Amino acid sequence: MELVTPNFGLLFWQLVTFLVVLFLLTKFAWKPIMQALRDREDSIEMALSAAEKAKLEMQGLKAENEKLLAEARMERDKILKEASDAGNSIIETAKNKANEEGNRMIAQAREAIENEKRAAITEVKNMAAALSVDIAERILRKELSDPSAQQALAQDYIREVTLN
């Protein structure tokens, strides 16, 4: 039982040893350990605050990037709209120009047809006048006294004219 119940001398020396060890630890080891713990705590706090700061910066950068992306999309849409409008304008101008050119060519063709028609009518009139003069000349040369002979002669000349 002696092992289970310590005697007074053992307790005394254990208490003295404990107090000496406690004094030595407090005097020499406690301050450096506490300083190391404080330093570690400060470094952890600084790391956490730096992480929080970095997180806030990242959020700011993300918001800025999204803003830049939105601006870039708007600029892209604006450029595409301007290009589409310019393309439509060029197409419309080309259509108008083609229509004007077509109308001008049609007008020129009508004018040419009209000129040819006038020339043909003038030529027909000149031919008719020449034939009339020729017929009259032939009739007068013959100086026929018989009207039926003159009529027959005129019919012959008309047949000649229609054959030509």
Side-chain angles (χ1 to χ4, degrees):
M1 275 273 213
E2 242 179 76
L3 290 176
V4 177
T5 57
N7 70 25
F8 179 72
L10 180 64
L11 282 177
F12 174 75
W13 287 113
Q14 281 182 345
L15 180 65
V16 169
T17 307
F18 177 74
L19 290 175
V20 169
V21 169
L22 182 65
F23 174 74
L24 289 175
L25 284 175
T26 315
K27 181 83 174 161
F28 296 109
W30 188 257
K31 286 183 184 176
I33 290 173
M34 290 306 289
Q35 183 63 36
L37 287 175
R38 272 189 241 113
D39 290 345
R40 175 118 172 114
E41 185 180 326
D42 290 344
S43 70
I44 289 172
E45 276 186 37
M46 285 176 37
L48 287 174
S49 69
E52 187 66 31
K53 191 176 182 182
K55 181 181 174 184
L56 292 174
E57 269 185 45
M58 289 300 290
Q59 287 175 346
L61 289 174
K62 184 178 178 184
E64 188 176 330
N65 284 342
E66 287 175 3
K67 181 182 171 187
L68 288 174
L69 278 173
E71 288 176 2
R73 285 185 185 120
M74 287 175 30
E75 186 68 24
R76 179 200 63 198
D77 291 343
K78 179 182 170 187
I79 289 171
L80 287 175
K81 185 181 182 304
E82 287 175 359
S84 175
D85 291 346
N88 290 339
S89 173
I90 289 171
I91 289 171
E92 191 65 31
T93 302
K95 283 182 183 177
N96 290 340
K97 197 171 190 179
N99 285 339
E100 289 174 4
E101 184 68 20
N103 290 339
R104 185 185 61 79
M105 291 174 78
I106 290 171
Q108 284 179 345
R110 285 183 180 157
E111 188 177 325
I113 291 170
E114 191 64 33
N115 289 341
E116 290 293 323
K117 181 180 167 185
R118 284 189 203 128
I121 290 173
T122 304
E123 187 177 336
V124 168
K125 285 181 182 178
N126 288 341
M127 285 179 85
L131 285 174
S132 296
V133 169
D134 190 34
I135 291 172
E137 182 180 326
R138 287 182 186 182
I139 291 175
L140 287 175
R141 276 188 200 159
K142 293 254 180 174
E143 290 186 8
L144 298 171
S145 58
D146 184 18
S148 63
Q150 286 181 359
Q151 190 70 296
L153 184 62
Q155 288 299 327
D156 287 340
Y157 287 143
I158 289 175
R159 271 188 241 116
E160 283 180 20
V161 170
T162 56
L163 291 177
N164 290 337

